[in-house]
């Protein structure tokens, strides 16, 4: 599968996979295609039995350790991908320390993360290969839309901030533009506590991870717009807190935490 | 010609019970039950001649159209409709209808049904009918189970008291964070912590308890703010999504137990605890216990002040 943009990063990752390097970190904003790229590439290179994707938790770390101890059956190397590594708790990161200190020659451990600064220093110091992915420029986004024959939507284009994955998720779905309008309206409304919870927030626990990332992104983008007015700072703080929690703790009850935003803004 | 009995309506418990009553009435009948998906088996079985003769009673559930009637002259077919769909047949001997009970404020059919059930069991449920409705809602199956327990405990013709009903009802439900919430609202921190410890015995239920407490605090806060806004109790009940009867019996007495500032602080604290618990932080339990005690103590002080007044 071809991923648009970040050609240099893609080439660098391919070279690292061919080399003897064991730990690779793909770092960059969500929606740029990092995970899609690495998982499709590894599925082409490796047999099914030599490739594993694990959850970003301690159980995943233990599974990864035992998987990487074994020699590859059919392929050149065994690979484990840890997607959404920003969700790794500190104990889970500690569980990866041993693997990163003594990597095997026939194994590769790949972390996909939004910001490599979220790793603990002890783990981060063991990374030699951090490949940074950048957001696409407007020119690149226009080319992406043209090459993929997708409709151009002003709202999605303005909101996606150069992340093609987000653009693809938002296009043709009115729920995101409705949510954006409701969020903008929140800053103008005086009696916020009695406002209803947006529909998208009520259904968020059943939505995909990508949908949660898009909602989080919209919250951040709109909250930052109102930074100039000090009277909005408590509300902005609550929204940014909500946005960060949505990414780091996706299992949280979004509706209850949204109510907190409304209550805090009123008090 | 075989006999056809149709049971329509949306109250599934009453429909099933009617079918069971019919099968009991045909004492010597061979009773065979089917679901709509098993119609093939039904059509095969009706063609078979019964080995020892006698009445056969076929009960088919979740039916959308009346299937072929059994050929035997003494056979009986009972068709139970699938929810809203009303079945009709010119040859039906009896058609029973159990429409959904309405629970309007001035016409609560569930409570009327509870009182009739009491008459059936020869016990007086006048003093506990409301509590049964509040506890079990519209679940007639659950209410029936509670009434059967009360009937065992009471002599014929006895009046069931709220204290006896409460003791029976609390053993019918497994332990949930609701008991912790009720104890907090009673202003009893020791009882709340006892239930909390009991819940945590089997497995880590911190997340579950936090979710219940969050709901309580947010609902209380909204009620206070709606009341400040000048909304009446029916409006408030609609906004918080409960029946007005349940609001007046359960939620309204809790108004004023906590100040608005205290509740909003609690919302913040519980959301932080939720995030840290889901992030794997074990110390969230300590924060939760502290919050349970704080809310209980505040409710206790308020209750004492009200008593003194």
């Amino acid at each position: 599968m071809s991923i648009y943009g970040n050609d240099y990063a893609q080439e660098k990752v391919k070279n690292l996979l061919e080399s003897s390097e064991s730990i690779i970190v793909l770092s960059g904003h969500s929606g740029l295609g990092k995970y899609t790229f690495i998982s499709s590439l590894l599925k082409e290179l490796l047999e099914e039995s030599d490739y594993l994707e694990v959850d970003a938790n301690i159980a995943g770390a233990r599974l990864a350790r035992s998987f990487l101890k074994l020699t590859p059956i059919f392929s050149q190397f065994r690979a484990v991908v840890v997607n959404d590594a920003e969700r790794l708790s500190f104990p889970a990161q500690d569980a990866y320390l041993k693997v990163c200190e003594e990597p095997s020659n026939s194994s590769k451990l790949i972390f996909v993360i939004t910001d490599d600064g979220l790793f603990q220093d002890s783990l981060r110091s063991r990374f030699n290969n951090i490949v940074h992915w950048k957001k696409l420029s407007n020119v690149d986004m226009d080319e992406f839309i043209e090459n993929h024959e997708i409709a151009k939507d002003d709202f999605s284009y303005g909101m996606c901030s150069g992340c093609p994955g987000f653009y693809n998720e938002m296009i043709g779905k009115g729920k995101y533009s409705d949510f954006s309008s409701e969020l903008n309206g929140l800053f103008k409304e005086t009696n916020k506590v009695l406002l209803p919870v947006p529909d998208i927030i009520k259904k968020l626990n059943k939505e995909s991870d990508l949908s949660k990332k898009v909602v989080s992104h919209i919250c951040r983008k709109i909250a930052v717009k109102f930074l100039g007015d000090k009277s909005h700072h408590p509300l902005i703080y609550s929204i940014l807190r909500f946005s960060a929690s949505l990414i780091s703790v996706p299992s949280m009850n979004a509706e209850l935490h949204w109510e907190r935003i409304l209550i805090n803004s009123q008090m | 010609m075989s006999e056809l009995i149709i049971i329509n309506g949306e109250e599934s418990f009453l429909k099933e019970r009617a079918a069971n009553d019919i099968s009991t009435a045909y004492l010597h009948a061979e009773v065979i039950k089917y679901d709509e998906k098993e119609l093939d088996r039904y059509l095969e079985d009706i063609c078979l001649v019964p080995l020892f003769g006698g009445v056969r009673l076929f009960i088919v559930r979740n039916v959308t159209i009346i299937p072929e009637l059994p050929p035997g002259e003494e056979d009986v077919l009972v068709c139970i409709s699938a929810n809203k769909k009303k079945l009709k047949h010119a040859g039906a001997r009896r058609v029973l209808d159990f429409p959904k009970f309405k629970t309007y404020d001035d016409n609560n059919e569930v409570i009327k049904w509870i009182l009739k059930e009491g008459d059936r069991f020869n016990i007086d449920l006048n003093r506990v009918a409301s509590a049964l409705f509040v506890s079990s809602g519209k679940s007639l199956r659950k209410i029936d189970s509670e009434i059967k327990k009360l009937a065992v405990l009471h002599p014929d013709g006895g009046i069931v008291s709220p204290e006896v009903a409460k003791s029976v009802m609390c053993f019918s439900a497994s332990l949930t964070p609701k008991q912790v919430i009720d104890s907090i609202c009673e202003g009893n921190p020791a009882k709340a912590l006892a239930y909390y410890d009991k819940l945590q015995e089997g497995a880590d239920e911190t997340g579950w308890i936090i979710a219940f407490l969050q709901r309580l605090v947010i609902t209380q806060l909204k009620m206070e703010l709606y009341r400040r806004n000048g909304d009446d109790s029916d409006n408030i009940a609609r906004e918080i999504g409960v029946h007005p009867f349940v609001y007046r019996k359960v939620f309204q007495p809790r108004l004023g137990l906590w100040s608005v500032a205290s509740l909003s602080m609690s919302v913040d604290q519980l959301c932080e605890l939720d995030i840290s618990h889901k992030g794997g932080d074990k110390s969230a339990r300590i924060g939760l216990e502290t919050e349970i005690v704080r809310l209980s103590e505040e409710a206790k002080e308020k209750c004492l002040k009200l008593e003194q007044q």
Side-chain angles (χ1 to χ4, degrees):
Chain A
M1 184 184 187
S2 65
I3 299 296
Y4 195 82
N6 285 288
D7 296 330
Y8 173 74
Q10 291 189 44
E11 207 48 49
K12 192 168 176 193
V13 170
K14 284 178 186 167
N15 292 338
L16 284 169
L17 286 175
E18 284 168 15
S19 72
S20 57
E21 294 292 341
S22 301
I23 316 289
I24 304 168
V25 177
L26 274 64
S27 172
H29 204 278
S30 293
L32 293 173
K34 305 182 298 298
Y35 167 73
T36 312
F37 166 72
I38 192 69
S39 69
S40 58
L41 181 62
L42 287 172
K43 279 172 186 169
E44 277 175 33
L45 289 174
L46 306 174
E47 295 293 329
E48 207 179 311
S49 51
D50 292 322
Y51 173 69
L52 181 69
E53 290 177 20
V54 297
D55 293 333
N57 51 30
I58 289 184
R62 289 188 192 125
L63 196 56
R65 265 196 349 229
S66 54
F67 184 82
L68 292 172
K69 270 184 192 165
L70 305 170
T71 50
I73 302 170
F74 301 109
S75 319
Q76 260 191 324
F77 56 87
R78 291 199 126 193
V80 170
V81 171
V82 185
N83 191 22
D84 294 327
E86 61 271 7
R87 292 181 195 166
L88 285 169
S89 60
F90 289 160
Q93 290 188 33
D94 289 341
Y96 278 109
L97 280 174
K98 183 90 178 163
V99 179
C100 296
E101 275 167 20
E102 297 166 7
S104 144
N105 287 335
S106 59
S107 68
K108 292 196 192 292
L109 178 59
I110 297 119
F111 293 100
V112 181
I113 194 166
T114 50
D115 178 3
D116 53 278
L118 293 170
F119 284 119
Q120 287 185 96
D121 289 343
S122 50
L123 184 61
R124 197 169 184 281
S125 62
R126 281 152 179 82
F127 299 149
N128 293 327
N129 306 293
I130 301 178
V131 182
H132 293 279
W133 289 60
K134 293 179 186 154
K135 292 183 193 177
L136 271 53
S137 63
N138 283 347
V139 172
D140 287 339
M141 275 301 297
D142 287 336
E143 232 179 279
F144 162 76
I145 291 166
E146 213 179 290
N147 287 348
H148 285 74
E149 290 171 8
I150 314 167
K152 186 164 180 183
D153 172 56
D154 287 339
F155 167 78
S156 305
Y157 190 89
M159 194 54 73
C160 75
S161 305
C163 301
F166 283 359
Y167 185 87
N168 255 343
E169 172 61 20
M170 285 193 275
I171 193 95
K173 289 177 190 164
K175 61 183 179 181
Y176 294 114
S177 58
D178 291 344
F179 175 61
S180 167
S181 309
E182 282 182 81
L183 199 46
N184 273 304
L186 200 60
F187 285 91
K188 292 160 192 164
E189 178 63 51
T190 43
N191 209 357
K192 297 184 205 340
V193 186
L194 305 181
L195 285 174
V197 175
D199 278 338
I200 195 172
I201 299 290
K202 282 184 191 169
K203 295 171 190 167
L204 205 54
N205 280 81
K206 294 174 190 165
E207 295 280 348
S208 65
D209 273 355
L210 181 59
S211 183
K212 288 178 188 168
K213 286 175 185 174
V214 169
V215 167
S216 169
H217 176 75
I218 293 173
C219 285
R220 266 199 313 274
K221 203 154 162 90
I222 289 177
V224 159
K225 237 174 46 176
F226 291 88
L227 267 176
D229 186 347
K230 277 189 185 169
S231 66
H232 289 313
H233 281 190
L235 178 57
I236 290 169
Y237 171 78
S238 298
I239 292 173
L240 291 176
R241 188 87 181 82
F242 172 81
S243 165
S245 303
L246 207 48
I247 300 299
S248 59
V249 188
S251 59
M252 77 176 197
N253 186 321
E255 191 177 344
L256 287 175
H257 285 261
W258 185 264
E259 307 242 28
R260 177 204 200 181
I261 294 175
L262 299 176
I263 289 163
N264 277 347
S265 64
Q266 194 76 5
M267 302 296 150
Chain B
M1 177 80 175
S2 55
E3 190 180 326
L4 172 64
I5 300 171
I6 297 174
I7 305 176
N8 286 326
E10 291 175 65
E11 288 290 354
S12 53
F13 169 71
L14 294 179
K15 288 193 304 190
E16 270 174 43
R17 196 169 73 167
N20 288 337
D21 288 345
I22 291 167
S23 64
T24 312
Y26 285 85
L27 274 173
H28 302 293
E30 181 192 353
V31 179
I32 315 151
K33 293 179 183 173
Y34 308 86
D35 197 75
E36 211 212 358
K37 292 168 199 167
E38 296 167 316
L39 274 177
D40 289 344
R41 190 165 65 89
Y42 162 77
L43 290 169
E44 277 174 23
D45 288 349
I46 57 171
C47 296
L48 299 171
V49 175
L51 269 174
F52 305 104
V55 177
R56 289 184 302 175
L57 181 74
F58 300 95
I59 300 178
V60 186
R61 290 192 182 88
N62 296 320
V63 165
T64 47
I65 49 169
I66 307 283
E68 186 184 328
L69 296 181
E73 278 185 10
E74 293 187 12
D75 289 342
V76 180
L77 171 62
V78 178
C79 291
I80 305 175
S81 71
N83 282 341
K84 283 185 185 174
K85 177 90 182 176
K86 274 204 173 172
L87 299 171
K88 287 177 193 170
H89 194 281
R93 180 74 67 86
R94 266 192 287 165
V95 179
L96 304 170
D97 192 16
F98 297 100
K100 199 85 181 155
F101 281 161
K102 295 178 183 57
T103 53
Y104 300 136
D105 221 22
D106 55 351
N107 180 24
N108 192 323
E109 290 177 337
V110 174
I111 291 184
K112 285 180 186 171
W113 179 79
I114 292 170
L115 296 171
K116 274 190 201 161
E117 286 295 297
D119 291 339
R120 227 162 68 98
F121 286 96
N122 203 9
I123 50 173
D124 188 335
L125 294 173
N126 264 300
R127 293 183 67 196
V128 300
S130 315
L132 281 169
F133 172 65
V134 167
S135 162
S136 310
K138 292 183 192 177
S139 170
L140 301 185
R141 195 180 306 275
K142 203 173 166 198
I143 295 173
D144 178 67
S145 160
E146 306 286 32
I147 292 172
K148 280 178 178 152
K149 284 180 214 156
L150 293 170
V152 166
L153 287 174
H154 275 79
D156 283 352
I159 301 172
V160 178
S161 69
E163 291 74 31
V164 170
K166 204 174 173 182
S167 63
V168 164
M169 275 152 53
C170 88
F171 282 111
S172 67
S174 56
L175 192 60
T176 70
K178 187 180 179 298
Q179 280 86 342
V180 178
I181 301 300
D182 288 343
S183 307
I184 291 171
C185 295
E186 282 168 22
N188 194 334
K191 195 174 167 189
L193 285 176
Y195 275 124
Y196 168 84
D197 287 336
K198 192 78 189 163
L199 266 168
Q200 296 279 39
E201 255 177 29
D204 184 3
E205 304 288 8
T206 307
W208 195 23
I209 299 167
I210 289 175
F212 263 72
L213 211 42
Q214 276 176 319
R215 283 253 170 257
L216 166 75
V217 166
I218 286 173
T219 307
Q220 283 297 130
L221 191 51
K222 279 186 171 175
M223 277 162 41
E224 293 287 349
L225 293 169
Y226 280 121
R227 189 172 66 155
R228 265 192 202 176
N229 230 22
D231 287 75
D232 65 14
S233 58
D234 283 353
N235 271 351
I236 299 175
R238 192 178 42 249
E239 291 297 339
I240 64 172
V242 299
H243 193 277
F245 182 85
V246 175
Y247 171 77
R248 278 195 291 279
K249 285 285 176 188
V250 178
F251 291 89
Q252 202 169 36
R254 292 177 184 171
L255 275 172
L257 284 179
W258 301 281
S259 66
V260 167
S262 171
L263 288 168
S264 64
M265 186 173 83
S266 204
V267 168
D268 242 343
Q269 174 68 349
L270 288 168
C271 285
E272 289 300 324
L273 288 172
D274 184 40
I275 290 168
S276 59
H277 169 70
K278 285 179 171 129
D281 185 359
K282 299 282 179 200
S283 65
R285 287 178 72 147
I286 301 168
L288 177 59
E289 286 170 30
T290 313
E291 197 56 28
I292 288 172
V293 169
R294 191 187 72 78
L295 288 169
S296 310
E297 290 288 352
E298 195 173 331
K300 185 178 172 184
E301 270 177 41
K302 193 73 189 190
C303 290
L304 284 170
K305 270 185 194 166
L306 287 169
E307 270 171 33
Q308 278 162 10
Q309 279 170 11

